[in-house]
Amino acid sequence: MQFYFPTTLNLGQEHSEGFHQELLRGLTHKLNNLLAVIQGFSSLILMTDDLDPSVSENMQHIREASVGVTNLSERIRSAGGCAKITPQSLGLNEYLPVIEGAVMEPFQKEGVQLEADVQAGLPPILVDPTKFKDILTELLKNAAEAASKGGGRCALKICGPGTITPAEQRRVDILVSNTGSQIAPEKIQEVFRPFHGSKNSNHLGLGLTIAAMLSHQMNIQLGVASENNTTTFWLSCPMV
């Protein structure tokens, strides 16, 4: 199985840190400050007892739109490599039950079964727990949606050093796969690039870009392979 990695994103040091990172972080911060004002005043207006129904409806739309832009701003920050990362020791055997609801949500929504094979006694990995959850749930959501469209199934496999990567590399490997779909060879190297998703217009095509950027920031290796009607994403996480 041949894996492709998001090297075409130019995720080198000069792109993820320095001037452009500070610029994007500053711009999104200022944008969020302005949005907070809009959300605050719209909420105050909506608290008016005798507010005209049409005005109330319009203000509610304004508030919902501003919240949506705030969420988009945070995703842009992550896609630009500007997310704040706080690495710490994380034991997956204990952590996965904690986030089980988020893990299972896309499969329950799509009506797809997830087969999980998690090795016992996994060594702790060095990641930011919240950002790691963002990566994992993004990959699982993509797998569930792809399997649902193609009538396939999904699998999650997590194993310690020596099973996939050599033991001396001290990495824990995570495989997220789905059957029922295959990415064309000419498209697979584009899956991590922004706005290259194959979903409808309600999706911005940033999910896998964000996963790639966060992985880069946490020294996680992220790759994808697609053949024989099966697509597999591979996360290789550093041990503590």
Side-chain angles (χ1 to χ4, degrees):
M1 183 179 294
Q2 182 177 3
F3 279 88
Y4 292 85
F5 301 88
T7 53
T8 54
L9 281 176
N10 292 323
L11 298 180
Q13 194 83 358
E14 70 277 13
H15 290 269
S16 64
E17 296 179 359
F19 171 78
H20 293 95
Q21 185 185 47
E22 291 300 319
L23 175 63
L24 184 56
R25 184 184 291 117
L27 288 173
T28 54
H29 177 71
K30 289 183 178 296
L31 175 62
N32 287 337
N33 286 342
L34 294 173
L35 289 168
V37 174
I38 296 173
Q39 292 170 25
F41 277 101
S42 59
S43 295
L44 285 174
I45 294 172
L46 287 169
M47 292 171 63
T48 304
D49 293 332
D50 56 349
L51 189 64
D52 183 90
S54 62
V55 174
S56 177
E57 182 179 0
N58 289 335
M59 291 307 303
Q60 186 64 38
H61 287 315
I62 291 173
R63 187 179 186 283
E64 290 174 355
S66 65
V67 171
V69 175
T70 299
N71 294 333
L72 175 59
S73 175
E74 290 304 311
R75 289 177 65 79
I76 291 172
R77 189 197 299 254
S78 295
C82 299
K84 183 179 180 180
I85 302 295
T86 307
Q88 56 186 274
S89 177
L90 182 69
L92 289 178
N93 295 111
E94 296 76 29
Y95 184 64
L96 288 176
V98 174
I99 63 170
E100 182 178 2
V103 167
M104 295 305 302
E105 181 181 1
F107 301 97
Q108 295 168 350
K109 178 181 177 181
E110 300 294 340
V112 174
Q113 184 176 357
L114 174 66
E115 301 172 5
D117 178 11
V118 181
Q119 180 180 315
L122 291 167
I125 57 177
L126 186 64
V127 296
D128 181 308
T130 300
K131 302 306 181 185
F132 173 79
K133 175 186 173 183
D134 291 343
I135 297 172
L136 184 59
T137 53
E138 178 64 33
L139 298 183
L140 291 169
K141 182 187 70 169
N142 273 273
E145 292 176 352
S148 175
K149 292 177 182 178
R153 62 184 189 278
C154 297
L156 170 66
K157 180 179 178 64
I158 306 179
C159 48
T163 302
I164 297 177
T165 55
E168 59 269 21
Q169 293 188 17
R170 294 174 50 80
R171 304 189 78 85
V172 172
D173 295 298
I174 303 172
L175 298 178
V176 176
S177 61
N178 69 271
T179 61
S181 71
Q182 184 168 325
I183 304 172
E186 66 273 13
K187 297 289 187 181
I188 196 166
Q189 297 190 49
E190 301 292 326
V191 298
F192 295 110
R193 296 189 64 82
F195 315 120
H196 279 69
S198 59
K199 300 175 184 177
N200 59 40
S201 58
N202 292 327
H203 295 79
L204 293 173
L206 286 176
L208 290 177
T209 303
I210 293 172
M213 278 292 188
L214 293 177
S215 295
H216 172 70
Q217 288 184 270
M218 290 188 285
N219 193 29
I220 295 174
Q221 296 174 2
L222 171 61
V224 60
S226 191
E227 58 187 35
N228 300 322
N229 203 36
T230 300
T231 297
T232 301
F233 284 89
W234 172 25
L235 286 174
S236 188
C237 308
M239 287 174 48
V240 173

